Amino acid sequence: MDSITQAMLGASIGGAMLGRWHGRKALVAGALLGTLPDMDVVINYGDAVANMTYHRGFSHSLFVLTALSLLLAWGWRRWRPNPDYSGVRLGLCLWLILVTHVLLDAFTSYGTQLFWPMTTPPVSISSIFIIDPLYTVPLLLAVVIGLIIGLKKGKGLALQYTALTLSTLYLASTLVGKQMAENNLQLALERDGIDAQAVFITPTPFNTVLWRVVAVAGDDYYEGLVSWFDDKPPVLERLPRHYTEAAPSLDGSEQHERLRWFTRDILRYDLIDNQWVVTDLRLGMTGYHPFRFALARVNPQDQSAQLIEHVETWPAEPRDMSQLTDLRKRALDSSYPLSLRDLTKDLGRSPLRLGESGPGS
């Protein structure tokens, strides 16, 4: 989730558990500690693929954070002992602040390596968008009001518990939404006779009413939109994936193998300017995916390929945010004309040609 949400979650937990003794300081300390796991973004792992796939690694491990919370609690008790509450309460508070950060991240589509150093694929429940006001606003209001009126009185503390309850119930409701979307996707796959090797389901930006569903089948993938207000399974649009064509050029690429592991093969391949560009289809929205990487160059004369050693993020034009209006209309009306194929038409184009012709032309 975004840093503001993580800070507010940490602040609210800190306030709820230690606010009666430390007042506003518990909110501030909780907010700072709540953002600590994301400090790994300052580490450069060598290239863009490594930076993406090693983020939310050791710093988001349940094992590492449990040990860290115990160490912090021990140090705090030695440096600033407080006889009014137990070391168990302190340790539990610190542990909850750190662990809820990574568990919340696991509910997004990015992928969180909860069990590092184990090499299991990252956990990606993908039931909430990376920014969701309905989750964040109750926590934000509780923390702001707590900073104003204080926590040593009943109202300030009660607000923290109320906000945590509301946000947790909302998070649980996203699992129901995902199950609804998954059921509709399975009905659509059976209807269309599609044998999917992998599926991915995620909410569209800033809401959990409209869901994006993806099914990978060989050299194609299928996308559709599912809303709570739909009365039938979604129309699945067939889109090219180009895996078989790209695979020989990417043979031996460590970055490619790591992307396949990290994304569970929810990838698309495009030959652009004689370079194979690999797209993580899970993140962003149809046609706008922030994590794209050129992994190999192809010689146009003899079609030989050379792996790119230092991989950088593929440039993209800024997205037209007016498309959010289309998503809102589609969420409320299943008959609203919104072509996902049209949204993907720029994925196979050069960024230079995009700039010349203009987005959406």
Side-chain angles (χ1 to χ4, degrees):
M1 294 292 284
D2 62 283
S3 296
I4 293 176
T5 300
Q6 295 290 13
M8 293 305 99
L9 176 59
S12 194
I13 293 173
M17 297 200 67
L18 297 179
R20 70 183 62 182
W21 297 284
H22 295 289
R24 296 177 179 87
K25 293 180 181 178
L27 294 173
V28 175
L32 294 175
L33 188 60
T35 60
L36 181 63
D38 282 340
M39 291 299 102
D40 68 326
V41 296
V42 304
I43 302 174
N44 185 353
Y45 290 101
D47 63 28
V49 170
N51 288 339
M52 173 194 175
T53 60
Y54 283 101
H55 175 50
R56 295 193 184 179
F58 76 93
S59 68
H60 285 60
S61 166
L62 293 174
F63 306 124
V64 171
L65 294 179
T66 296
L68 178 60
S69 64
L70 293 173
L71 180 62
L72 290 174
W74 173 81
W76 191 340
R77 293 295 286 185
R78 286 182 61 88
W79 176 52
R80 296 285 296 272
N82 191 317
D84 295 330
Y85 57 86
S86 67
V88 172
R89 186 181 189 90
L90 173 61
L92 181 61
C93 175
L94 299 178
W95 181 77
L96 284 173
I97 291 172
L98 292 171
V99 167
T100 54
H101 174 121
V102 301
L103 292 178
L104 181 58
D105 276 349
F107 275 81
T108 69
S109 57
Y110 189 95
T112 306
Q113 297 172 59
L114 295 179
F115 306 109
W116 185 96
M118 297 172 63
T119 57
T120 52
V123 178
S124 176
I125 299 170
S126 68
S127 68
I128 191 169
F129 194 68
I130 192 170
I131 300 173
D132 191 322
L134 287 180
Y135 181 87
T136 306
V137 167
L139 297 170
L140 179 62
L141 290 175
V143 171
V144 170
I145 295 173
L147 288 171
I148 295 172
I149 69 174
L151 295 181
K152 295 186 178 180
K153 297 181 180 179
K155 290 184 178 179
L157 280 175
L159 277 173
Q160 309 311 313
Y161 288 111
T162 300
L164 289 168
T165 299
L166 290 174
S167 61
T168 301
L169 289 174
Y170 176 71
L171 189 62
S173 76
T174 68
L175 298 175
V176 180
K178 184 179 179 182
Q179 186 62 54
M180 175 276 299
E182 184 175 354
N183 291 342
N184 277 276
L185 172 60
Q186 291 303 322
L187 290 173
L189 292 174
E190 293 172 7
R191 177 198 64 203
D192 297 343
I194 298 171
D195 182 19
Q197 286 85 56
V199 298
F200 191 80
I201 300 164
T202 188
T204 56
F206 314 125
N207 76 101
T208 54
V209 176
L210 183 66
W211 294 74
R212 173 174 164 255
V213 295
V214 180
V216 174
D219 274 345
D220 297 310
Y221 68 100
Y222 299 80
E223 283 209 31
L225 295 172
V226 179
S227 169
W228 272 109
F229 298 101
D230 292 353
D231 56 5
K232 58 184 178 181
V235 174
L236 298 178
E237 298 189 49
R238 182 178 178 179
L239 300 166
R241 186 165 172 258
H242 307 302
Y243 171 74
T244 300
E245 186 181 355
S249 298
L250 300 175
D251 185 38
S253 170
E254 294 182 5
Q255 292 97 332
H256 182 223
E257 291 305 312
R258 187 157 182 87
L259 280 174
R260 294 186 65 190
W261 166 79
F262 192 78
T263 66
R264 298 177 187 260
D265 266 338
I266 311 296
L267 296 170
R268 168 179 168 142
Y269 305 81
D270 293 282
L271 186 61
I272 307 174
D273 295 339
N274 298 314
Q275 298 178 81
W276 277 111
V277 178
V278 183
T279 300
D280 181 352
L281 292 170
R282 305 168 308 140
L283 306 178
M285 179 55 200
T286 306
Y288 177 70
H289 305 285
F291 292 101
R292 309 187 74 200
F293 312 96
L295 299 186
R297 294 187 181 91
V298 177
N299 187 320
Q301 277 72 42
D302 61 10
Q303 297 302 303
S304 62
Q306 180 181 8
L307 297 178
I308 297 173
E309 292 185 9
H310 184 76
V311 176
E312 297 181 355
T313 303
W314 188 255
E317 289 291 311
R319 199 62 182 175
D320 182 3
M321 297 303 290
S322 65
Q323 291 177 349
L324 292 175
T325 302
D326 291 328
L327 293 177
R328 177 178 58 81
K329 292 178 179 179
R330 170 59 186 85
L332 301 176
D333 181 3
S334 61
S335 65
Y336 181 77
L338 178 59
S339 170
L340 299 183
R341 180 178 295 278
D342 286 346
L343 294 181
T344 65
K345 64 184 179 181
D346 289 340
L347 288 180
R349 298 184 186 179
S350 164
L352 293 178
R353 290 198 295 273
L354 279 175
E356 293 167 1
S357 60
S361 63

